[in-house]
Coordinates of all heavy atoms in Angstrom, one line a residue:
R163 N -11.6 16.4 -1.3 CA -11.7 15.4 -2.4 C -10.4 15.0 -2.9 O -9.5 15.8 -3.0 CB -12.6 16.0 -3.5 CG -14.0 16.3 -3.1 CD -14.8 17.0 -4.2 NE -14.7 16.3 -5.4 CZ -15.7 15.6 -6.0 NH1 -16.9 15.6 -5.4 NH2 -15.6 15.0 -7.1
F164 N -10.3 13.7 -3.3 CA -9.1 13.2 -3.9 C -9.5 11.9 -4.7 O -10.6 11.5 -4.6 CB -8.0 12.9 -2.9 CG -8.3 12.0 -1.8 CD1 -7.9 10.6 -1.9 CD2 -9.0 12.4 -0.7 CE1 -8.2 9.7 -0.9 CE2 -9.4 11.5 0.3 CZ -9.0 10.2 0.2
E165 N -8.5 11.3 -5.4 CA -8.8 10.1 -6.1 C -8.0 8.9 -5.5 O -6.9 9.1 -5.0 CB -8.5 10.2 -7.6 CG -9.5 10.9 -8.3 CD -9.4 10.8 -9.8 OE1 -8.3 10.3 -10.3 OE2 -10.3 11.2 -10.6
V166 N -8.5 7.7 -5.5 CA -7.8 6.5 -5.1 C -7.9 5.5 -6.3 O -8.8 5.6 -7.1 CB -8.4 5.9 -3.8 CG1 -8.2 6.8 -2.7 CG2 -9.9 5.5 -4.0
D167 N -7.0 4.6 -6.3 CA -7.1 3.5 -7.3 C -7.8 2.3 -6.7 O -7.4 1.8 -5.6 CB -5.7 3.1 -7.7 CG -5.6 2.0 -8.7 OD1 -6.3 2.1 -9.7 OD2 -5.0 0.9 -8.4
Q168 N -8.9 1.9 -7.3 CA -9.7 0.8 -6.8 C -9.8 -0.2 -7.9 O -10.5 0.0 -8.9 CB -11.1 1.3 -6.3 CG -11.9 0.2 -5.6 CD -13.2 0.7 -5.1 OE1 -13.9 1.4 -5.9 NE2 -13.5 0.5 -3.9
R169 N -9.1 -1.3 -7.7 CA -9.1 -2.4 -8.7 C -8.7 -1.9 -10.1 O -9.2 -2.2 -11.1 CB -10.5 -3.1 -8.8 CG -10.9 -3.7 -7.6 CD -12.2 -4.5 -7.7 NE -12.7 -4.9 -6.4 CZ -13.7 -4.4 -5.8 NH1 -14.4 -3.4 -6.3 NH2 -14.1 -4.8 -4.6
G170 N -7.6 -1.0 -10.1 CA -7.1 -0.5 -11.3 C -7.8 0.7 -12.0 O -7.5 1.1 -13.1
R171 N -8.9 1.2 -11.3 CA -9.7 2.3 -11.8 C -9.7 3.4 -10.8 O -9.8 3.2 -9.6 CB -11.1 1.8 -12.1 CG -11.1 0.7 -13.1 CD -12.5 0.2 -13.3 NE -13.2 1.2 -14.1 CZ -14.5 1.1 -14.5 NH1 -15.1 0.0 -14.2 NH2 -15.0 2.0 -15.2
P172 N -9.6 4.7 -11.3 CA -9.6 5.8 -10.4 C -11.0 6.0 -9.8 O -12.0 5.9 -10.6 CB -9.2 7.0 -11.2 CG -9.5 6.6 -12.6 CD -9.3 5.1 -12.7
Q173 N -11.1 6.2 -8.5 CA -12.4 6.5 -7.9 C -12.3 7.8 -7.1 O -11.3 8.0 -6.4 CB -12.7 5.3 -6.9 CG -12.9 4.0 -7.6 CD -14.2 4.0 -8.4 OE1 -15.2 4.5 -8.1 NE2 -14.1 3.3 -9.6
A174 N -13.4 8.5 -7.1 CA -13.5 9.7 -6.3 C -13.6 9.3 -4.8 O -14.3 8.4 -4.5 CB -14.7 10.6 -6.7
A175 N -12.8 10.0 -4.0 CA -12.9 9.8 -2.5 C -12.8 11.1 -1.8 O -12.7 12.1 -2.4 CB -11.7 8.9 -2.2
F176 N -13.0 11.0 -0.5 CA -12.9 12.3 0.3 C -12.5 11.9 1.7 O -12.7 10.8 2.2 CB -14.3 13.0 0.3 CG -15.4 12.4 1.0 CD1 -15.7 12.7 2.3 CD2 -16.2 11.5 0.3 CE1 -16.8 12.1 2.9 CE2 -17.3 10.9 0.9 CZ -17.6 11.2 2.2
A177 N -12.0 13.0 2.4 CA -11.7 12.9 3.8 C -12.4 14.0 4.6 O -12.5 15.1 4.0 CB -10.2 13.0 4.0
V178 N -12.9 13.7 5.8 CA -13.5 14.6 6.7 C -13.0 14.4 8.1 O -12.5 13.3 8.4 CB -15.0 14.5 6.6 CG1 -15.6 15.0 5.3 CG2 -15.5 13.2 7.0
R179 N -13.1 15.4 8.9 CA -12.8 15.2 10.3 C -14.1 15.3 11.1 O -14.9 16.2 10.9 CB -11.9 16.3 10.8 CG -11.4 16.1 12.3 CD -10.4 17.2 12.7 NE -9.3 17.3 11.9 CZ -8.1 16.6 12.0 NH1 -8.1 15.7 13.0 NH2 -7.1 16.8 11.2
F180 N -14.3 14.3 12.0 CA -15.5 14.2 12.8 C -15.1 13.8 14.2 O -14.4 12.7 14.4 CB -16.5 13.2 12.2 CG -17.8 13.1 12.9 CD1 -18.7 14.2 12.9 CD2 -18.2 12.0 13.6 CE1 -19.9 14.1 13.6 CE2 -19.4 11.9 14.3 CZ -20.2 13.0 14.3
H181 N -15.5 14.5 15.2 CA -15.1 14.3 16.6 C -13.6 14.1 16.8 O -13.2 13.2 17.5 CB -15.9 13.1 17.2 CG -17.3 13.3 17.4 ND1 -18.2 12.4 17.9 CD2 -18.1 14.4 17.2 CE1 -19.4 12.9 18.0 NE2 -19.4 14.2 17.5
G182 N -12.9 14.9 16.1 CA -11.4 14.9 16.2 C -10.6 13.9 15.4 O -9.4 13.9 15.4
R183 N -11.3 13.0 14.7 CA -10.7 11.9 13.9 C -10.9 12.1 12.5 O -12.0 12.5 12.1 CB -11.2 10.6 14.4 CG -10.9 10.3 15.9 CD -11.2 8.9 16.3 NE -10.3 8.0 15.5 CZ -10.5 6.7 15.6 NH1 -11.4 6.2 16.2 NH2 -9.6 5.9 14.9
V184 N -10.0 11.8 11.7 CA -10.1 11.9 10.2 C -10.6 10.6 9.7 O -10.2 9.5 10.1 CB -8.7 12.2 9.5 CG1 -8.8 12.2 8.0 CG2 -8.2 13.6 10.0
H185 N -11.6 10.7 8.8 CA -12.2 9.5 8.1 C -12.2 9.7 6.6 O -12.4 10.8 6.1 CB -13.7 9.3 8.6 CG -13.8 9.2 10.1 ND1 -13.8 8.0 10.7 CD2 -14.0 10.2 11.0 CE1 -13.9 8.2 12.0 NE2 -14.1 9.5 12.2
G186 N -11.9 8.6 5.9 CA -11.9 8.7 4.4 C -12.9 7.7 3.9 O -13.1 6.6 4.4
Y187 N -13.5 8.1 2.8 CA -14.6 7.3 2.1 C -14.5 7.4 0.6 O -14.0 8.4 0.1 CB -16.0 7.8 2.5 CG -16.2 7.8 4.0 CD1 -16.0 9.0 4.7 CD2 -16.7 6.7 4.6 CE1 -16.3 9.0 6.1 CE2 -17.0 6.7 6.0 CZ -16.8 7.9 6.7 OH -17.0 7.9 8.1
I188 N -15.0 6.4 -0.1 CA -15.2 6.5 -1.5 C -16.4 7.4 -1.6 O -17.4 7.3 -0.9 CB -15.6 5.1 -2.1 CG1 -14.4 4.2 -1.9 CG2 -16.0 5.2 -3.6 CD1 -13.1 4.6 -2.7
N189 N -16.3 8.4 -2.6 CA -17.4 9.4 -2.8 C -18.5 8.8 -3.7 O -18.7 9.3 -4.8 CB -16.8 10.7 -3.3 CG -17.7 11.8 -3.3 OD1 -18.8 11.7 -2.7 ND2 -17.3 12.9 -3.8
R190 N -19.3 7.9 -3.1 CA -20.4 7.3 -3.9 C -21.4 6.8 -2.9 O -21.1 6.1 -1.9 CB -19.8 6.2 -4.7 CG -20.9 5.5 -5.6 CD -20.3 4.4 -6.5 NE -19.6 3.4 -5.7 CZ -18.3 3.1 -5.8 NH1 -17.5 3.7 -6.7 NH2 -17.8 2.1 -5.1
C191 N -22.6 7.1 -3.1 CA -23.7 6.6 -2.3 C -23.9 5.2 -2.6 O -23.9 4.7 -3.7 CB -25.0 7.4 -2.6 SG -26.5 6.8 -1.7
A192 N -24.2 4.4 -1.5 CA -24.4 3.0 -1.7 C -25.8 2.7 -2.2 O -26.1 1.6 -2.7 CB -24.3 2.3 -0.3
H193 N -26.7 3.6 -2.2 CA -28.1 3.4 -2.6 C -28.4 3.9 -4.0 O -29.2 3.3 -4.7 CB -29.0 4.1 -1.6 CG -28.8 3.7 -0.2 ND1 -28.0 4.4 0.6 CD2 -29.1 2.6 0.5 CE1 -27.9 3.8 1.8 NE2 -28.6 2.7 1.7
V194 N -27.8 5.1 -4.3 CA -28.1 5.8 -5.6 C -26.7 6.1 -6.2 O -25.9 6.6 -5.5 CB -28.9 7.1 -5.4 CG1 -29.3 7.8 -6.7 CG2 -30.2 6.7 -4.6
P195 N -26.5 6.0 -7.5 CA -25.2 6.2 -8.1 C -24.9 7.7 -8.2 O -24.9 8.3 -9.3 CB -25.3 5.6 -9.5 CG -26.8 5.6 -9.8 CD -27.5 5.4 -8.5
I196 N -24.7 8.4 -7.1 CA -24.3 9.8 -7.0 C -23.2 10.0 -6.1 O -23.0 9.2 -5.2 CB -25.5 10.7 -6.6 CG1 -26.0 10.4 -5.3 CG2 -26.6 10.7 -7.7 CD1 -27.0 11.3 -4.7
E197 N -22.5 11.1 -6.2 CA -21.4 11.5 -5.2 C -22.1 12.1 -4.0 O -23.2 12.6 -4.1 CB -20.4 12.4 -5.9 CG -19.6 11.7 -6.9 CD -18.5 12.6 -7.4 OE1 -18.5 13.8 -7.3 OE2 -17.5 12.0 -8.0
L198 N -21.5 12.0 -2.9 CA -22.1 12.4 -1.6 C -22.0 13.9 -1.3 O -22.8 14.4 -0.4 CB -21.5 11.6 -0.5 CG -21.7 10.1 -0.6 CD1 -20.9 9.4 0.5 CD2 -23.2 9.8 -0.5

Side-chain angles (χ1 to χ4, degrees):
R163 295 172 54 107
F164 60 98
E165 282 193 349
V166 295
D167 179 56
Q168 189 177 47
R169 297 183 189 109
R171 300 178 74 176
Q173 295 291 321
F176 67 96
V178 293
R179 186 180 300 275
F180 184 68
H181 289 180
R183 298 187 67 189
V184 174
H185 302 272
Y187 301 96
I188 298 296
N189 191 4
R190 181 178 57 241
C191 177
H193 308 97
V194 182
I196 60 170
E197 291 187 342
L198 297 174

